[in-house]
Amino acid sequence: MSLQDDDRRPLSGAQEGLWYAGRLAPDSAAYNTAEAVEIHGPLDTGLFETALRRTVGEADTFALRFVDTDDGPRCHPAPDAADWSLHRVDVSGAEDPEDAAWAHIRTDLTTPVDTDKGPLFAHTLLTLAPDRFIWLLRAHHLLLDGYSYKLLGRRLAQTYNALAEGREPAPSGFEPVSRLRAEEEAYRNSERYERDRTHWARRLAGLPEPARLTSRTAAPPPPSCAAPPSWSPPRWPPSTRRRPASASRAPIC
């Protein structure tokens, strides 16, 4: 399947800034974001993957790829968007399964991502014990922000619980990426945008140039992550209908 020019769309303002910043250090993993969700209780791992694939399919941001063109960076839906794997890592036999899990997470977070080829995300299910798991989602910041992780985790739990009970989950409510693009375009073409631009131009007029120690721009620092020092997650049996907010979340970027 060939990519047509009509499939390519401009990036949002935030995405464009991230894309250009990433081009300064293409081998850096600095723009990786991630969240680890610890799950206590029995988990049907096959059903979990089914629920995860459905959730990813509902969020079309995961299908995006990015490419440089004569008109600037563009994004497009990948023809192989569904071609990704859930990585399964069993650390239950380690001397300290939690330390082994976090060592794997730290290593995963430092994986550079090719924004042209993708995929720009990875899902990992780590098994620490028969009743203890960590779901790790790593994604390039071009795809997700912090709030997105909360929405995805909630939707995954809803979908898993519904399927475990033998029913179809309610509609996800996820909006397509095109809506964000349309809303931003409408704002940039509005009188409000002109008012905002005029306001900030006046507010910032006359400010001195920021002090610089060098004329060059440094590459972004590598990402870092760590388990919270007093992390005591509550119990969340995934087979129940309890809200996913009771799962322990550790933002690691």
Side-chain angles (χ1 to χ4, degrees):
M1 178 178 177
S2 62
L3 178 65
Q4 304 297 322
D5 288 343
D6 288 347
D7 293 329
R8 296 172 174 173
R9 296 289 183 268
L11 278 56
S12 70
Q15 285 178 323
E16 191 170 89
L18 287 166
W19 187 87
Y20 279 115
R23 303 299 272 195
L24 296 174
D27 296 328
S28 172
Y31 294 104
N32 281 344
T33 65
E35 184 176 69
V37 179
E38 185 166 356
I39 304 170
H40 290 263
L43 181 72
D44 182 332
T45 58
L47 188 63
F48 177 87
E49 180 169 356
T50 298
L52 179 61
R53 289 190 173 277
R54 290 185 61 159
T55 301
V56 170
E58 292 170 341
D60 62 355
T61 185
F62 286 112
L64 292 182
R65 299 291 184 273
F66 298 81
V67 63
D68 195 9
T69 73
D70 293 339
D71 298 320
R74 295 290 185 268
C75 61
H76 63 87
D80 59 346
D83 185 17
W84 58 273
S85 300
L86 170 62
H87 305 291
R88 298 171 183 259
V89 179
D90 190 339
V91 296
S92 60
E95 182 176 352
D96 188 327
E98 184 164 341
D99 281 352
W102 278 98
H104 179 90
I105 291 170
R106 294 187 185 96
T107 300
D108 182 82
L109 190 57
T110 61
T111 303
V113 174
D114 187 329
T115 57
D116 293 340
K117 297 179 180 179
L120 279 70
F121 65 92
H123 292 276
T124 303
L125 183 64
L126 297 102
T127 301
L128 286 75
D131 60 350
R132 188 180 179 195
F133 305 84
I134 293 179
W135 164 50
L136 171 67
L137 167 55
R138 167 179 50 81
H140 195 285
H141 202 12
L142 282 165
L143 300 186
L144 300 175
D145 60 12
Y147 185 60
S148 302
Y149 282 95
K150 180 177 182 180
L151 297 178
L152 289 165
R154 178 186 301 167
R155 177 58 179 172
L156 174 58
Q158 291 172 345
T159 302
Y160 179 95
N161 291 333
L163 296 178
E165 295 171 0
R167 57 182 175 83
E168 280 296 306
S172 71
F174 289 161
E175 295 289 348
V177 173
S178 58
R179 176 174 175 178
L180 172 63
R181 198 158 42 232
E183 289 182 352
E184 182 168 300
E185 183 177 356
Y187 169 66
R188 288 182 174 274
N189 293 326
S190 69
E191 293 182 0
R192 178 186 171 191
Y193 173 79
E194 292 301 326
R195 290 197 305 268
D196 291 345
R197 188 173 185 276
T198 300
H199 168 81
W200 287 109
R202 291 174 177 170
R203 183 74 178 268
L204 301 177
L207 291 181
E209 286 292 321
R212 297 179 182 274
L213 299 178
T214 177
S215 59
R216 300 176 60 188
T217 301
S224 61
C225 67
S230 59
W231 197 24
S232 180
R235 302 298 180 183
W236 177 57
S239 57
T240 72
R241 298 183 60 182
R242 295 170 64 183
R243 61 181 183 177
S246 63
S248 175
R249 278 191 169 77
I252 53 179
C253 55

